[in-house]
Amino acid sequence: MGAGFGNSLAGDWVALSAVLAVAGAFALLVFALRRRTREAASAQRRVAELETRLDESESALAAEAHVMLIWRGRDHMPDRLVGSMHGAASMPSALGEVADFRKWLDRDSAGALIECLDILRHDGTPFNIAVKTLGDELLEADGRTAGGFATLRFRPLAGDRRNIAALAHEAHKFGRQAERLGAVLDAAPLPVWLRGSDGRLVWVNRAYAASVEAPDADTVVILGTELAGRAGLDRAAASAATGCIGRVRAVVSGSMRALDIFEVAVPDGTAGYAVDMTALDHAEKELDRHIKAHTSTLNKLDTAIAIFGPDQRLRFHNAAYAALWPLDPDWLDTHPTDGEILDRLRSQRCIPEQANYREWRTRQLSAYTTIEMRENWWYLPDGRSLHVVCEQHPFGGVTYLYENVTKELLLESRYNELIGVQRETLDNLEEGIALLGSDGRLKLFNPAFARFWRLDPAFLETEPHIEELASHGRELVPEPGAWDEVRYSVTRLDSERKPITGKINAADRVLQYTAVPLPDGNTLLTFADISDSARMERALRDRADALEAADRLKNMFLSNVSYEIRTPLTSILGFAEGLQLGLAGPLTPKQQDYVRDIRKSSADLKTIIDAIIDLTAIDAGAMELKLEHVDITDLLEAVAEKLAGAIEARDLTLNIEVGADVTSFIADPKRVEQVLTNLLSNAIGFSEPGATVRMGAKRSRNMLQLWVSDSGRGIEPEFQKQAFDRFQSRPVPGGHRGPGLGLAIVKSFVELHEGQVSLLSKINQGTTVLCTFPVDGPGAGQRGSTVPEIRKTA
């Protein structure tokens, strides 16, 4: 209450105190008198006087409307209720009801009264406050102590006292509310402050002090510690509607935080508070990074993307969208509407031709009022084909996806065409084709497959399993197990699947099958009718057997005949030589000529027979070489000496040319000499009288080349390919004529030494035959680098 109100009530409190003192004394006196009734008669008169005075005091007290509660001791409930409020409607009359202040006083008054009463009964501090009933009546509540009693007196207020009490009550109520609000702000988790008209801090809460790491709020006010300076204030986040003046970054409790600063004007200064927006700031930065990442990703896509807002204006487009249409990028950055873009594309003939463009445009823009996704195919005048997908955006508006499917449609068309060509190709193949999947079921077949195995195409369309096909196939072949290998090649599970081939002998045909595993796990089966080929193969095999038997018979005949002719020929040569030596008597010159011709013809026949025997032995694989170190110079001289008579008879000149690095090689000397003799004989026979014949040897790495060359008429090109065949002889008028075995046996002996023979001949320029032998002899690779010790011929 105010000081004036207290002074005005001072006299009343004095009177009340006197009355209470008298009442207490009277009570003690009555108590004493009753105990001593029989002791002092004079005390009765005094008691009567005191009772009279007490009645007068009570009458005086009852003259004013009031209620008094009296407590004795420490009990919570009062012991006595004195007085009356003379019909006050808002105050109960019973002791228990009056003592329960919360039932008839308003909440603030009841709380204040209980708090003052507790202090009074605890330490005797008196109080005098105004309280308000639930009926909005103002009462004076006065608490006092007297002796061992505690009293609480209620009396109504009127006139100036009521007005003063009402003001005091409202001031007390406002003070308590301000105190509560201050407590709430002080306990708030965000920094709160008050500034004076000069901008200096006059009050901060505990959160502010903790943010600047100050020991208490008073220290902050005294030092003027600022939470964040105004220099780094980002006013981009300012909002007049919310009172936010900007965002600042400051160190709060030892860590960098983002704070939104709010300030409002109050009398004689400003009030402000800071909201920690660090999490939101991080979220905004993370969202910005995500938006940039998504934008970068969308710009890398080949699909054109355009996002329109609820106002039908372009909000976003990627690089593919800008490249798809001939639109000015600067114009797109002005965020044109969807309808404006369609109009411009129509003017540039970049959208499908429409009979009623206005109706088509309205239908396109209706996507903003529908929720279902729409798909369209745009076939543009420039030949492009677009797959257009339009769907509602989660934040309003629509999103367009433009996928250029021109290449895909072209590829699909070509693919379908290719499939059709392949289908026709398979259907017209003579081979039966069947494709079985990894599950063993038939996926593809051609008519030849159904025809070969007598299967109904309708049944094959049901994709039967390989077991069903194998079961049907076993009924058509005499060997039931023929289909087992085919079935196993399809159903095997090992990783190393390999193609297999085989033959199936059906009742009326022979089928060759091939099972090829494909990379996708399928298996391709092909069946080819090789009945004619099988019959032809059988006929060729029979013919080859007959030819081999005839060749063996021929070789046997030549061998036997040769040996049978060689025996009497030896006798003829012996008798002719005896006649020439005069063993049967002297011969006339004419007889000498006959005997000489007989010996020459017999010698030629013997050479032919020996050649036939050698070739027969080579064909039979019975020819064995007797390898030795052969001196090349001696070999050439021996051959020249052997044919010296023929050379002189035709007046020829023989030149022998041997390389400096040529010494010897490993070979059969007899066979090599026979090779050179045949070659030199041919050169002598085909050379003109007086000509020169050349014979020599040279080395080329690990090979030795022996050659014989003449300057005769040469060999025709068409005959050169047959020159080394057996019994191939080229007649030369007036010249040499042989049986055609010389070059054949030369070729056989050289190849038996693992060498090669080549021939170079030009018409009227002569012929050269080159024989190449391995220096280390045949089989040098198998023997290694070590050459065995071989006896050299004498």
Side-chain angles (χ1 to χ4, degrees), residues 642-693:
K642 183 176 181 180
L643 297 177
I647 293 173
E648 292 178 359
R650 296 186 63 83
D651 192 20
L652 301 176
T653 301
L654 176 62
N655 292 338
I656 299 177
E657 302 173 2
V658 180
D661 57 345
V662 175
T663 55
S664 64
F665 73 111
I666 298 176
D668 187 333
K670 178 180 177 182
R671 302 307 177 185
V672 177
E673 181 180 348
Q674 192 172 349
V675 168
L676 292 176
T677 301
N678 289 344
L679 293 179
L680 189 55
S681 298
N682 285 343
I684 294 171
F686 290 101
S687 295
E688 297 294 334
T692 300
V693 177

Side-chain angles (χ1 to χ4, degrees), residues 615 678-679 682 686 710 714-731 736 738-748 751 757-762 766-770:
L615 291 174
N678 289 344
L679 293 179
N682 285 343
F686 290 101
D710 63 67
I715 304 175
E716 293 79 1
E718 63 274 10
F719 187 77
Q720 291 181 12
K721 297 180 181 179
Q722 305 173 5
F724 292 99
D725 293 343
R726 299 177 184 181
F727 302 104
Q728 294 296 327
S729 178
R730 178 175 58 89
H736 178 74
L741 293 177
L743 291 179
I745 200 167
V746 166
K747 182 175 182 297
S748 298
E751 291 179 351
V757 179
S758 59
L759 181 143
L760 178 62
S761 180
K762 292 184 179 181
T767 302
T768 299
V769 180
L770 178 65

Side-chain angles (χ1 to χ4, degrees), residues 225-239:
T225 307
E226 294 290 344
L227 178 64
R230 299 301 178 93
L233 189 65
D234 182 9
R235 299 190 180 274
S239 172

Side-chain angles (χ1 to χ4, degrees), residues 4 33 202 208 251 330 464 513 536 704 725 789:
L33 288 175
V202 297
Y208 189 106
V251 177
D330 295 334
Y513 69 87
M536 185 174 295
L704 176 68
D725 293 343
E789 184 66 25

Side-chain angles (χ1 to χ4, degrees), residues 1-14 128 161 164:
M1 299 287 289
F5 178 72
N7 293 331
S8 66
L9 298 179
D12 296 332
W13 279 111
V14 171
N128 186 275
R161 294 177 63 192
I164 294 173

Side-chain angles (χ1 to χ4, degrees), residues 132-186:
K132 181 184 286 189
T133 67
L134 295 178
D136 290 335
E137 297 181 32
L138 287 177
L139 302 177
E140 178 187 5
D142 186 80
R144 292 285 185 271
T145 58
F149 299 93
T151 63
L152 174 61
R153 181 184 181 187
F154 295 99
R155 67 177 179 176
L157 297 174
D160 293 338
R161 294 177 63 192
R162 176 182 176 84
N163 294 334
I164 294 173
L167 292 175
H169 177 74
E170 292 299 328
H172 179 73
K173 180 178 179 181
F174 178 77
R176 292 186 61 83
Q177 290 178 347
E179 182 181 355
R180 293 172 184 172
L181 180 59
V184 171
L185 292 178
D186 196 45

Side-chain angles (χ1 to χ4, degrees), residues 60 107 182 194 283 293 319 340 377 397 414 453-454 530 635 671 707:
R107 185 177 59 183
L194 292 175
E340 292 173 347
W377 295 88
R414 291 180 178 177
W453 297 107
R454 302 174 187 172
I530 59 171
L635 176 64
R671 302 307 177 185
W707 49 271

Side-chain angles (χ1 to χ4, degrees), residues 490-503:
V490 175
T491 58
R492 63 190 302 178
L493 300 177
D494 54 339
S495 58
E496 297 183 359
R497 302 172 63 207
K498 297 180 179 179
I500 62 170
T501 59
K503 294 181 182 179

